[in-house]
Amino acid sequence: MTHAPAPRFRVPMVARSQTEPHRASSPLELLFDLTFVVAIAQIAAELAHGIADGHAGEVLVPYLMVFFAIWWAWVTCTWFASAYDTDDVPYRVLTMVQMAGVLTLAAGVPTAFAEGNFIMVVMGYVIMRIGLVAQWLRVAIEHPAGRATALRYAGGIAVVQVGWLLRQLLPEGFGVASFAVLVAFELAVPIWAARKGEPSWHPHHIAERYGLFTIIVLGESVFAATTGVQAAVQNDGLSAELVAISLSGLVLLFALWWLYFLEPAADGLAARRHRAYFWGYGHYGVFASLAALGAGLEVAVEYSGHHLDVSALVVGFALAIPVALFLVLLWAIHAPVVEQPVIRPAVILPAAALVLAMPLLTAQWGVGPEVIGIALVCVLVIALTIASRAKP
């Protein structure tokens, strides 16, 4: 078993090399990711409950809003670590502050969905961002070459956090609009700050970090589906449909994992660093769709017990929409980055359209055959992709 080395008390925070060989995720980064497991599990569960209760439309907006907070906090911390991870004592302490913010955010998820009260979610988010501001201020002090960029990051992030706190004072009717405005500012800060010099992030490290987060979100889908199986068995026992949904759901998740890791993103990011923002920002939809799929699978296995009021059509679209979005976005975010994309639009777009059409058959065939059909479509995409790569 490999143990994390004892950190030195302080290491000057200077930019790490973009070409550092064998750059991999550190034990601290892996621990950091685990805190996001809790937050994602919370919002996936709330989305599943909303769908099962027939309130999918009402919970979708809170789901997307809270997921943004989780995803963006992870993204900004990850890219910072890729450029300036010193793994000394101050760095570890500030990382733990950010982890505390994640857990605070997760604790506020049920209240946000049930009552529309986002105060604890915002407080957790702001705690995470304060930790990151402190990291950037340390860069400004210790790394003169990156000082202008670091101060822009620190100042921009801090100003937007004031906006999030002030947003809590606005009338309820301004909630979504004010959220969209602040999201735009959050996304603009890295682009604006990089005009003074781009941080020295490592392309292979970033690709690995995103891949690991993809596995985390897929793991949450497995957990959500397992929760649904437990509920269905407790209420109605095993059935052929439950077994079919469970097995085909597992095949589906495995297929989506396979598809994601078919694309060699690291080399593309190294060759086209200027397109990294598009690739990195586009993963919001990739991650959100995978987490939503977990909620859909949980509802589907519970529905097999025939004790939910929601219609089969709603359950069907709760599965089909996330899968179709994942397929399209997987191709879309890699196409501008990878020189020769492995996943081709001639395969992925018809497959996404076919998946979206599957719920129309649930009224006659049921949810089980739909899950089997979606899984088979994704397996076919893998087969066609691998076959096209094998051609001389």
Side-chain angles (χ1 to χ4, degrees), residues 66-85:
V66 178
F67 195 92
F68 174 83
I70 295 169
W71 166 79
W72 186 240
W74 179 87
V75 165
T76 52
C77 295
T78 295
W79 288 74
F80 176 87
S82 189
Y84 288 106
D85 184 358

Side-chain angles (χ1 to χ4, degrees), residues 9-311:
F9 180 78
R10 180 178 173 276
V11 177
M13 185 168 274
V14 297
R16 297 183 64 158
S17 172
Q18 299 176 9
T19 59
E20 180 181 341
H22 311 297
R23 179 74 188 275
S25 299
S26 69
L28 180 60
E29 287 178 308
L30 300 178
L31 178 63
F32 179 70
D33 287 353
L34 284 179
T35 59
F36 287 87
V37 171
V38 179
I40 295 173
Q42 287 281 350
I43 61 171
E46 293 295 338
L47 180 62
H49 295 158
I51 296 171
D53 294 339
H55 304 299
E58 298 175 19
V59 298
L60 181 59
V61 172
Y63 168 78
L64 294 174
M65 293 168 69
V66 178
F67 195 92
F68 174 83
I70 295 169
W71 166 79
W72 186 240
W74 179 87
V75 165
T76 52
C77 295
T78 295
W79 288 74
F80 176 87
S82 189
Y84 288 106
D85 184 358
T86 57
D87 199 33
D88 59 5
V89 170
Y91 182 89
R92 290 188 174 191
V93 171
L94 288 173
T95 300
M96 291 178 184
V97 169
Q98 294 171 75
M99 292 165 61
V102 178
L103 296 177
T104 303
L105 185 153
V109 167
T111 305
F113 276 81
E115 304 173 11
N117 185 342
F118 287 85
I119 292 178
M120 185 167 287
V121 170
V122 172
M123 292 304 299
Y125 182 75
V126 171
I127 291 171
M128 288 187 283
R129 307 299 276 163
I130 289 173
L132 185 60
V133 167
Q135 297 276 40
W136 278 115
L137 289 176
R138 186 181 171 197
V139 173
I141 295 170
E142 300 181 8
H143 182 50
R147 181 170 297 155
T149 300
L151 289 175
R152 280 196 170 203
Y153 266 106
I157 294 171
V159 168
V160 178
Q161 301 326 294
V162 174
W164 286 116
L165 293 174
L166 293 177
R167 177 178 176 270
Q168 305 308 305
L169 304 177
L170 293 176
E172 186 175 347
F174 291 91
V176 175
S178 60
F179 177 84
V181 170
L182 289 169
V183 164
F185 280 118
E186 287 277 17
L187 296 176
V189 167
I191 300 173
W192 171 69
R195 292 181 178 179
K196 290 293 184 179
E198 185 183 64
S200 183
W201 52 270
H202 193 292
H204 289 78
H205 175 248
I206 286 293
E208 183 195 44
R209 298 292 293 124
Y210 273 72
L212 290 173
F213 202 77
T214 299
I215 293 173
I216 285 175
V217 180
L218 284 170
E220 289 307 314
S221 295
V222 173
F223 175 77
T226 302
T227 301
V229 170
Q230 291 173 341
V233 170
Q234 289 174 359
N235 285 278
D236 302 283
L238 284 174
S239 66
E241 186 177 28
L242 174 60
V243 172
I245 293 174
S246 301
L247 292 179
S248 56
L250 184 60
V251 171
L252 173 60
L253 294 174
F254 184 61
L256 298 182
W257 167 85
W258 196 325
L259 284 170
Y260 183 88
F261 287 97
L262 278 175
E263 286 288 5
D267 292 339
L269 290 172
R272 298 168 181 81
R273 292 177 68 91
H274 62 289
R275 296 179 182 173
Y277 290 107
F278 178 82
W279 182 86
Y281 287 7
H283 268 80
Y284 169 76
V286 171
F287 293 151
S289 62
L290 287 178
L293 174 60
L297 286 172
E298 180 178 347
V299 174
V301 293
E302 288 188 32
Y303 185 84
S304 67
H306 307 291
H307 60 278
L308 298 180
D309 294 330
V310 67
S311 69

Side-chain angles (χ1 to χ4, degrees), residues 356-380:
L356 280 177
M358 290 274 180
L360 301 178
L361 305 176
T362 54
Q364 182 177 359
W365 292 357
V367 175
E370 182 206 1
V371 182
I372 295 173
I374 293 175
L376 289 176
V377 169
C378 293
V379 170
L380 180 60

